Amino acid sequence: MSRSPLLLAITWLITCVAVLTAGLVVRLAPVEKTVAWPTWDTWPAAVSMTAPIALVLAVLMALSLFVLSSAARQGNRARPFAELLLFYPLLFAFVWFLLPTGRPDIRALVLGLVFLAGVWYFRRRSPGPISKGYWQQTKSTVLMDTSLILLPVIIGLTMGISPDLKASAYSLLLYPLYAFLQLTVFLHIPATRLRAMGVSSENTTLLSALIFSLIHWPNPLIMLITFAGMLIWGHQFQNGRKLWQLALVMGLCATTFSQFLPDDLTRHMRVGPGYVRWEAMMVLADDSPINDPAEFIEFVYPQTIGREVLPQELQTWCELVEEARPGTWASMFLTSAESQKRLASTGEELPPPDSKHWTDWPEDMKSRIEYFASENYWQKSGNSLEGFVGSLYVGILGRQASAQEIQSWKTTLTRNQKRRISELLLDLRLQQGHTEFTGMSVEEFRFPN
């Protein structure tokens, strides 16, 4: 079969996509599946078709591997093809089945170390250089590099974007190292194997760009940019350009892209399960007009857990909100501009910024919030919402509150609180499946402002 190398390479790509879509089916909650496709807002049918698409891809993968099994064993194709099939589907499986959406856990860290060991192993076992030529740095290359780096700067300045200088400095320092790792994984390793299998230079570049774009699923802009960038860098790499030079260019591009373009456009540079989780939380919290705690929990349960909320669960959630609210309100009082001014005038220690949850504050500050949030303080305040708020005005701000000020404090949910409840429910589905929710501590709840 004269086209066997290309068909084998396409089978490898199909296998990676099959693993990715299987992860979407197994891992994601109903609401997450609505944002798991790059064009979900213009192609809503893909949401209900996720499982059938995954099944079709799995069957297509199995048939391709069966039909091409003899071709894979011909010549020197067996080892590079087996290495591609071993490494990349496992990488996509780790991302879409196991990778946490928040902080890495011990399992993710261990598997990450195994992944790095695999990268080192496969790089050392490279079938050989794919280009015997020497890269000639030309004016067109310098112009291309400069254009890629400066285009986001020009767009951002035109839009009035001011970059975060501290974040930019960290990115300039560290991102080239991360870019070198990315280019090793998604350019050096696959390109050397594909060329060893007999795939043409042009198709090798195209397939490397596709696999690099797929690992950034489903952020549409990032997928498009990484695909276009790898088309350029893959061509240059196969013509002799050093990987470290490409990593430097890619690091500078990533820095200007992330720092000079608006977050609403780049989606905060999120990709993978983290992107899906964040977008799902936005859909539930920002697009829902429901602000009553009980009604909101009833609304989000089928979209997160996948079933209706049980009466006892609903009561537990509502009680948790009531228990967490005093500490949240006390921290809001303490971090308010009026409180900050009062503390500064008396020389007292200022609390951390309100972006840091009060359960993470230093012990002396945390204990102060716990005092205001205690049942004893609530009882002393008249055992009522109005009395509690009025006591906070006196105890923290040092003045009496007007009736209008007291009435402005509502027991409805804020956008951040709806996001937090949505996040917890999505986490609970992964951790406990469909088991009944029996409660958590206020510190675990971390009810935000």
Side-chain angles (χ1 to χ4, degrees), residues 9-24 36-39 43 53 57 88-89 91-96 99 178 182 185-187 190 205-231 270-276:
I10 293 174
T11 298
W12 163 63
L13 184 66
I14 291 173
T15 303
C16 292
V17 179
V19 172
L20 187 157
T21 52
L24 303 185
W37 296 87
T39 55
W43 189 35
I53 290 172
L57 286 170
Y88 290 91
L91 175 59
F92 277 90
F94 168 70
V95 170
W96 284 102
L99 185 66
Y178 180 51
Q182 287 184 297
V185 175
F186 297 103
L187 179 56
T205 298
L206 177 61
L207 288 164
S208 298
L210 285 171
I211 205 72
F212 189 48
S213 177
L214 278 174
I215 203 64
H216 294 92
W217 183 289
N219 188 323
L221 179 63
I222 304 300
M223 289 182 68
L224 178 62
I225 295 300
T226 51
F227 176 77
M230 190 60 83
L231 285 179
R270 291 185 175 90
V271 296
Y275 172 93
V276 172

Side-chain angles (χ1 to χ4, degrees), residues 159-347:
M159 298 176 67
I161 302 297
S162 298
D164 184 328
L165 297 181
K166 184 178 180 180
S168 299
Y170 278 122
S171 182
L172 286 172
L173 179 64
L174 299 177
Y175 209 99
L177 298 176
Y178 180 51
F180 188 85
L181 175 62
Q182 287 184 297
L183 289 170
T184 299
V185 175
F186 297 103
L187 179 56
H188 182 275
I189 293 176
T192 52
R193 271 69 183 177
L194 291 170
R195 293 306 303 274
M197 289 164 53
V199 179
S200 68
S201 173
E202 293 79 9
N203 287 330
T204 293
T205 298
L206 177 61
L207 288 164
S208 298
L210 285 171
I211 205 72
F212 189 48
S213 177
L214 278 174
I215 203 64
H216 294 92
W217 183 289
N219 188 323
L221 179 63
I222 304 300
M223 289 182 68
L224 178 62
I225 295 300
T226 51
F227 176 77
M230 190 60 83
L231 285 179
I232 297 169
W233 299 324
H235 171 74
Q236 294 178 351
F237 177 67
Q238 292 190 79
N239 282 278
R241 194 171 191 187
K242 299 294 183 182
L243 204 65
W244 68 265
Q245 297 178 1
L246 296 174
L248 181 60
V249 174
M250 180 178 169
L252 293 173
C253 288
T255 298
T256 58
F257 187 86
S258 61
Q259 297 301 320
F260 282 89
L261 294 183
D263 288 336
D264 290 342
L265 183 63
T266 65
R267 297 294 199 274
H268 299 270
M269 301 295 287
R270 291 185 175 90
V271 296
Y275 172 93
V276 172
R277 170 61 59 86
W278 181 261
E279 291 294 315
M281 287 163 54
M282 298 303 102
V283 169
L284 292 175
D286 297 13
D287 296 349
S288 169
I290 303 173
N291 296 320
D292 176 76
E295 292 179 7
F296 179 74
I297 291 167
E298 287 180 312
F299 166 72
V300 298
Y301 238 78
Q303 302 183 66
T304 53
I305 302 298
R307 60 171 173 79
E308 298 295 330
V309 61
L310 300 175
Q312 183 58 45
E313 288 178 312
L314 181 59
Q315 181 180 344
T316 302
W317 277 107
C318 291
E319 290 174 352
L320 183 57
V321 170
E322 292 296 323
E323 184 183 358
R325 183 178 288 122
T328 298
W329 283 9
S331 68
M332 293 172 67
F333 268 87
L334 203 58
T335 55
S336 67
E338 184 176 350
S339 173
Q340 299 271 17
K341 184 178 180 181
R342 183 169 183 264
L343 292 173
S345 66
T346 58

